[in-house]
Amino acid sequence: MPKNNIECEIRSFVTEDEYERLVEELKKKAEFLGEDNQVTYYFDSDQDLRIQKNDNFSKVWLKKGSLHDEHREEVEIKCAKDDFDRLNDLFTSLGYGIDIKWLRRRLSFKWDSIDVALDYTKGYGYIIELEKLVGEGSEEETLEHLKKRMNELGISLTPKEEFDAKYKHYKENWESLV
């Protein structure tokens, strides 16, 4: 049986009004999974290496490929919530510096087989994200399905270049933005 370890993901920036509309719409058509407050550190690594503490646990994870790719393999290891500081100590002791810190409030939904996140990230903005983990070989078909579902929500995809520019600005200014 193939592993479902390829993350297919699309996202868009939304306005605060669109965000509020999406919350109400998704509460009617999807299963509300809950609210989560997250602190995430991105490390200055050759790969996309991160740690996160949320309301329930901590985790360390690596996303292979390039930031904002529509699909890429990910490796995730969950830990106890209280292990976050130890994870940070481990990676900083190995010589990794913290590139960026993110402070996010996430509302999570399950819409059929799709994971939907509505995020407000301090200093960055409002985002909707549709995601599905799939096995290798079904990425393109899955991405088309996700794009169709985003369209059903009345949201246009934000171009990758806009995400890259906003990310670059945040990376250069996050300390003053949070």
Side-chain angles (χ1 to χ4, degrees), residues 36-49:
D36 194 30
N37 296 289
Q38 304 171 346
V39 176
T40 304
Y41 295 178
Y42 286 25
F43 289 102
D44 60 355
S45 166
D46 290 340
Q47 302 214 34
D48 187 353
L49 178 63

Side-chain angles (χ1 to χ4, degrees), residues 14-28 105 107 109 118-120 126 155:
V14 295
T15 66
E16 186 174 359
D17 287 343
E18 286 174 318
Y19 176 90
E20 295 301 331
R21 176 186 62 81
L22 288 165
V23 169
E24 294 309 312
E25 185 173 343
L26 287 166
K27 281 186 175 179
K28 292 175 187 168
R105 176 179 170 253
L107 301 179
F109 298 86
L118 290 176
D119 294 338
Y120 172 71
Y126 294 92
I155 302 297

